Structures are given as structure tokens and as C-alpha cells.
Amino acid sequence: MKIGIVGFSGSGKTTLFNALTGQNVPVGFGSKVNLGTIKVPDPRVEKLAEIHQPDKVTFAEILFADVPGGKGNTSLDPQTLGKIREMDALAQVVRGFDEGAGTPAPVAEITAFESELILSDMGIIEKRLERLRKDRSDARLLELMERCFAHLEKEEALRTLGLDDNDLKLLSGFAFLSIKPILFVLSLPEGETALPAEVAELGARRNLTIIPICTAIEAEIAALDPADQKEFLKDLGLDEPASARFIKSAYWLLDLITFLTQGKDECRAWSIRRGSTAVEAAGAIHSDLARGFIRAEVISFDDFVKSGSEAACRENGTLRIEGKDYIVKDGDICHIRFNV
Ligand SMILES: Nc1nc2c(ncn2[C@@H]2O[C@H](COP(=O)(O)OP(=O)(O)O)[C@@H](O)[C@H]2O)c(=O)[nH]1
Ligand SMILES: [Mg+2]
């Protein structure tokens, strides 16, 4: 799962990237995509580690790519669009600070960025429609493409069209931009914590997730050692760092859940999409486990902690045997039995 930190130049993307990952990438104009991961904090993994004392403890991770905005302040060049295309989901950083860059215009910035994605998608569809109308070979795709185009013409992103699973399958090869899930980070000046009224209003009206973050300060905090971080955050009236707030929103945006695996060798958390089956969860661990899937032995985290051991769960019936199609729940501890 790769989340692209995107937006126009000078909006605070690299600063946010540093705040999230604790890296120290130089800010300012650059054309390199920076990559970094953050661990998803999860007290359940810590609890399992406490019980098993394993050799290794592994948290789920989210991968970030800081995608430079290119030269334009209100438009995106083809290279930048190409880099955005590779992302699974987007976090657009919107400038909310002045700092010599001029009065911020966050609502206009959100709209302008969306327009760029929409225009790019329209270009792709237009070309394809021409061919589809000439060939008359694929009526289903033609109908779908016309529906998409009409929606984009109204300046609406494809993600708001209400496409069903079949539609999405047909469209997956096109890698449209305005179809990608997106959330917004408003980079605020020091000392401010709330969204300006016009931004909050836009978010409410269009049902957008917009997180206010003072990116510059949070980047400074992320560079401190953990003990000092707590102190600093308390002074600012925050109970958790930007990365924690961001992860929660990203999980929600991408509709992710966590399942767990445990043992003497490793206790580990894994992110999968809500609605994934046991065999898909097995595949997240290793393709062999999906290929040779026999069954999953599943205990909910709460039941495990209450019962104290896997043997006790077997005894009291809280360990369940589930098949391929079982829909994995958040907090399930899974043991995949497989044979390859
Ligand atoms: N005051 C203030 N300045 C910021 C903030 N975030 C970034 N900056 C500054 O704005 C400039 C551009 O930031 P940068 O992260 O390089 O933007 P990018 O081009 O989107 O990657 C840098 O000088 C940053 O120090 C912020 O939240 N508040
Ligand atoms: Mg940058």
C-alpha cells in the first residue's frame, strides 16, 4: 500500500514527509521522489509480545512517497502526473501558511489540484472513446466510458461516481487519477490547530477528510527523541504526533483493518482491506500460504487475552476453524494451515 504525498510545489509535502517518517530530507525545490515507511502503532502487538517474548516484533507499515509538485504552482506536468499514477492512495498537502509564499488559498488549491486529475482522466477517456465508437466492439466498456466522461465533464472526480466492483474491474487497467482515494492535509502556521471556516465548510459539503497539521513544527518534533516528543506535544496541547493522527485517517480512508499472527519466533500485525477473506489474508503473509491454504485457526485478540493461551482457547471453543471464504475481522489472531 503506497500513499503518495502530493500537491503543488511549496505546499509543505516534504516537511510533512519528514514529520511522518522522522527522516530529514532537505525541503525546497527538488524532483526526487522520497520514500519512507511508518509503523502503525498497535498496543495489541505489544501485548502479544509481552505474552510470547518472541525473537521479533513487527508492526504493520504504511509506505509513503513524497511526490514533488513540479514547476507549476497551479498546474501539474506530465512527469508529475505519471508519478501520481503509481500511487494506491493520495494525501494532498495544501498550503495554509504564508511564510513569504503569499496569502494561502486552500480551497482554490484543492479545486485546482482536483481539476488537474480530472483533466488527465478526460484526456485518456476521450482517446479511448474515439476508438470504441469506431470499432463498436465493446458496448459495455463504451457505456461505462461515456458515463465516466459525463461525470468528469461536470468537474466531478471518478471516485464520486459510485462505480461498482464490475465497473472498477473494467477500469483498473487505465490507472485513472481522480478515482484514487484521497485525503487532505492543511499545513498550518505555527500555533494554529483548527481548520479555517471556509476549509471546514468545503470539507463538510463535499464529505472530504481534511486534517490540520502544523507540518513544520511536527517535523521538528519527529526529529526529537521519544521522551522529549511527549513533553513537546503536551506543551502544544496535542496528545499524539501528526503521524498517529495521519495513520488513523489513512486507515479509515483506505478501509484497512489489522490482523495478527503470533508465535515464539514473531508477533506481527498485518494491514489488509476490510472485507478480505482468509485466503487473501494468507496471501498478504506469503503467496505460498494462499496457494496451499488449508484452513485458518482464528481467535479474536480479546478472547485470546481473556483465555491466556492458544490451548485454553482450543479448550473453551474460542479458537475457530475457518475456511477460505471467511471474512477476516480487525484484531483476529490467525494461524494459517497450508500445504505446498
Ligand atoms: N510556517 C510554515 N512553513 C512551512 C510549513 N510547512 C512547510 N513550510 C515551509 O515551506 C517551504 C516549502 O516546504 P516543502 O516541504 O519543501 O514543500 P513542498 O514543495 O511541498 O515539498 C519550506 O521552506 C518549509 O520550511 C508549515 O506548516 N508552516
Ligand atoms: Mg518537496
Side-chain angles (χ1 to χ4, degrees):
M1 202 77 56
K2 201 179 201 179
I3 301 186
I5 298 175
V6 298
F8 297 117
S9 287
S11 55
K13 294 180 296 297
T14 302
T15 310
L16 175 70
F17 176 83
N18 285 338
L20 293 174
T21 61
Q23 289 189 32
N24 192 15
V25 171
V27 296
F29 194 75
S31 58
K32 200 173 133 277
V33 175
N34 302 303
L35 294 176
T37 52
I38 43 176
K39 289 184 176 36
V40 179
D42 194 332
R44 294 171 299 190
V45 185
E46 283 162 24
K47 181 74 192 174
L48 293 183
E50 200 184 295
I51 294 170
H52 294 284
Q53 301 287 321
D55 301 335
K56 204 169 153 201
V57 182
T58 312
F59 291 86
E61 284 186 341
I62 296 186
L63 177 62
F64 289 102
D66 168 25
V67 182
K71 294 216 164 60
N73 274 334
T74 51
S75 65
L76 300 170
D77 53 60
Q79 281 103 312
T80 303
L81 290 168
K83 286 172 191 154
I84 297 174
R85 206 174 297 288
E86 294 167 22
M87 305 296 148
D88 298 310
L90 310 177
Q92 184 193 348
V93 181
V94 182
R95 186 170 61 87
F97 57 88
D98 187 328
E99 204 75 5
T103 309
V107 171
E109 209 170 301
I110 289 174
T111 314
F113 190 82
E114 183 100 308
S115 295
E116 291 292 302
L117 304 187
I118 288 174
L119 273 175
S120 160
D121 289 349
M122 284 176 88
I124 294 172
I125 296 185
E126 223 163 11
K127 269 193 217 134
R128 193 56 196 254
L129 271 176
E130 221 172 277
R131 248 196 294 153
L132 283 166
R133 287 188 183 126
K134 226 183 269 164
D135 304 353
R136 295 170 175 266
S137 56
D138 193 338
R140 170 85 180 86
L141 187 62
L142 177 60
E143 180 278 323
L144 177 57
M145 285 286 191
E146 280 177 334
R147 193 148 44 95
C148 289
F149 195 78
H151 191 69
L152 293 166
E153 263 188 320
K154 288 186 283 185
E155 285 175 52
E156 289 279 353
L158 290 176
R159 77 182 82 84
T160 67
L161 181 54
L163 296 161
D164 66 25
D165 288 349
N166 286 329
D167 295 338
L168 291 173
K169 219 182 246 167
L170 278 176
L171 296 180
S172 66
F174 292 94
F176 290 125
L177 299 176
S178 75
I179 212 166
K180 295 183 192 290
I182 189 166
L183 62 78
F184 303 86
V185 171
L186 185 69
S187 54
L188 287 176
E190 191 168 332
E192 283 184 32
T193 51
L195 294 178
E198 50 155 9
V199 178
E201 190 274 329
L202 176 82
R205 180 158 47 84
R206 297 201 24 220
N207 199 15
L208 309 175
T209 303
I210 309 175
I211 325 170
I213 295 181
C214 179
T215 44
I217 301 263
E218 296 269 2
E220 281 175 34
I221 296 174
L224 299 172
D225 63 63
D228 292 340
Q229 284 181 15
K230 280 218 176 76
E231 203 52 32
F232 212 110
L233 285 166
K234 221 170 67 196
D235 288 347
L236 291 168
L238 299 169
D239 48 7
E240 52 185 9
S243 55
R245 278 175 280 148
F246 191 92
I247 289 168
K248 279 185 200 150
S249 298
Y251 250 60
W252 182 83
L253 172 77
L254 296 170
D255 215 9
L256 296 175
I257 60 164
T258 301
F259 76 93
L260 305 150
T261 52
Q262 63 177 357
K264 274 268 160 266
D265 50 342
E266 187 181 35
C267 291
R268 180 160 182 172
W270 307 81
S271 304
I272 48 170
R273 287 198 190 255
R274 187 184 305 281
S276 296
T277 60
V279 73
E280 285 167 335
I285 301 173
H286 197 286
S287 55
D288 281 353
L289 271 64
R291 203 153 45 85
F293 185 94
I294 299 170
R295 63 174 188 270
E297 299 178 0
V298 183
I299 316 169
S300 81
F301 173 79
D302 291 339
D303 283 339
F304 179 77
V305 171
K306 249 181 255 157
S307 307
S309 75
E310 213 171 292
C313 293
R314 232 176 253 284
E315 200 113 305
N316 65 25
T318 50
L319 184 150
R320 291 167 281 127
I321 307 292
E322 303 284 2
K324 274 191 171 155
D325 297 328
Y326 169 70
I327 304 292
V328 176
K329 313 273 180 308
D330 186 59
D332 275 351
I333 302 172
C334 297
H335 187 155
I336 310 292
R337 301 284 179 187
F338 72 109
N339 182 19
V340 285

